[in-house]
């Protein structure tokens, strides 16, 4: 009996710290370090569903972003399909895996500029995430459905849809750095420079003192040197 209990305890141990691992990955992602988030999750793949789903979701997002650079060719999308196939056995275990799968399919569609299909997949994923959160359960790990949806609308140059999605995300909870950056970029594309300056300024002012200088922060600082931003800040 003791041996059986020990075996069960050891079998459960990989998931004990999964929440901390995912939280650390989320923090890295909030500093625009998805590669670092992926590497952190990779150290906790010993059978734990939560971190396994989070890892393959983040890997798929990275792969889809890279595939977009190559026009969404079949070869470039192979890593995204691989991530989706890794998630497939988990869909029956957790709704989070279903949401992650929908989001990766949407990211794959975005890489091919298939906007209509992408929009339907995002709408479904966002609704499932809302249901999860209403029930006090987690949504997509590391990057929320609405955050990724805003990024994808921006990627395919549907700026009004991107703005709407980012604003919805910021109204539902405290705006994340990803949402703030996305809004700044979107508003700039829409020609609303004062509002874009405000978002870039919020990103810079809210950046942690030991957060490093990723390209996104340099982008914000560079944008804030524009005359429109200096005028808006009273300088």
């Amino acid at each position: 009996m003791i041996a059986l209990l020990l075996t069960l305890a050891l079998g459960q141990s990989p998931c004990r710290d999964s929440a901390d691992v995912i939280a650390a990955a989320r923090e890295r992602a909030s500093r625009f370090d998805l590669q670092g988030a992926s590497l952190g999750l990779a150290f906790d793949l010993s059978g734990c569903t939560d971190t396994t789903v989070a890892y393959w979701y983040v890997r798929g997002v990275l792969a889809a972003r890279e595939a977009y650079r190559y026009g969404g060719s079949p070869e470039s999308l192979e890593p995204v399909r691989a991530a989706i196939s890794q998630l497939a056995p988990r869909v029956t275990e957790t709704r989070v895996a279903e949401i992650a799968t929908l989001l990766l399919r949407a990211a794959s569609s975005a890489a091919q500029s298939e906007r209509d299909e992408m929009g339907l997949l995002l709408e479904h994923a966002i609704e499932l995430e809302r249901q999860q959160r209403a029930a006090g359960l987690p949504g997509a790990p590391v990057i929320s459905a609405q955050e990724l949806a805003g990024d994808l609308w921006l990627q395919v140059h549907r700026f009004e849809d991107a703005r709407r999605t980012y604003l919805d995300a910021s109204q539902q909870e405290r705006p994340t750095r990803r949402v703030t950056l996305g809004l700044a970029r979107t508003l700039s594309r829409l020609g609303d420079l004062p509002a874009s300056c405000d978002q870039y300024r919020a990103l810079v002012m809210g950046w942690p003192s030991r957060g490093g200088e990723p390209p996104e922060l340099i982008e914000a600082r560079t944008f804030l040197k524009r005359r429109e931003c200096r005028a808006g800040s009273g300088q």
Side-chain angles (χ1 to χ4, degrees):
M1 176 62 72
I2 294 176
L4 176 60
L5 291 175
L6 180 60
T7 300
L8 290 173
L10 291 173
Q12 294 173 354
S13 62
C15 288
R16 285 182 179 176
D17 301 323
S18 63
D20 292 337
V21 172
I22 293 173
R26 186 179 299 114
E27 174 59 24
R28 282 184 175 272
S30 77
R31 301 185 188 198
F32 311 112
D33 181 14
L34 278 185
Q35 190 66 45
S38 171
L39 291 173
L41 291 164
F43 286 106
D44 193 38
L45 296 180
S46 51
C48 181
T49 293
D50 293 347
T51 48
T52 298
V53 169
Y55 172 78
W56 286 111
Y57 171 51
V58 173
R59 290 306 308 169
V61 169
L62 284 166
R65 180 187 295 174
E66 185 68 12
Y68 178 70
R69 297 174 53 195
Y70 296 95
S73 67
E75 295 80 10
S76 67
L77 284 170
E78 184 56 38
V80 187
R81 288 192 289 270
I84 291 173
S85 69
Q86 291 289 335
L87 290 173
R90 311 281 180 171
V91 169
T92 57
E93 300 175 28
T94 170
R95 177 62 64 83
V96 173
E98 182 179 0
I99 296 170
T101 299
L102 286 167
L103 290 170
L104 290 188
R105 289 175 58 196
S108 180
S109 296
Q112 302 169 84
S113 296
E114 295 179 357
R115 295 169 177 82
D116 292 341
E117 179 178 319
M118 184 195 86
L120 291 173
L121 290 165
L122 289 176
E123 184 178 350
H124 191 187
I126 289 171
E127 179 55 32
L128 288 182
E129 185 170 83
R130 283 174 178 162
Q131 293 175 13
Q132 282 284 99
R133 291 183 171 175
L137 298 171
V142 184
I143 307 170
S144 75
Q146 283 196 316
E147 285 177 319
L148 186 62
D151 292 350
L152 294 180
W153 283 125
L154 179 57
Q155 176 179 300
V156 299
H157 300 171
R158 288 276 288 271
F159 304 124
E160 287 291 354
D161 288 314
R163 174 165 62 177
R164 171 182 51 79
T165 305
Y166 284 132
L167 287 175
D168 285 347
S170 64
Q171 289 168 2
Q172 289 187 22
E173 52 187 292
R174 190 179 68 175
T176 64
R177 297 183 190 112
R178 181 172 296 275
V179 168
T180 301
L181 175 66
L183 264 177
R185 289 172 169 174
T186 301
L187 292 166
S188 175
R189 293 297 188 94
L190 289 170
D192 191 348
L193 295 184
S196 180
C197 294
D198 289 342
Q199 294 298 322
Y200 275 122
R201 191 173 294 111
L203 179 64
V204 171
M205 292 179 66
W207 196 259
S209 58
R210 297 183 179 180
E213 289 275 338
E216 292 82 0
L217 189 63
I218 296 172
E219 170 191 331
R221 294 191 191 281
T222 301
F223 193 93
L224 289 172
K225 294 177 182 178
R226 298 176 63 146
R227 175 174 52 82
E228 296 87 351
C229 296
R230 295 198 304 271
S233 64
Q235 294 180 5

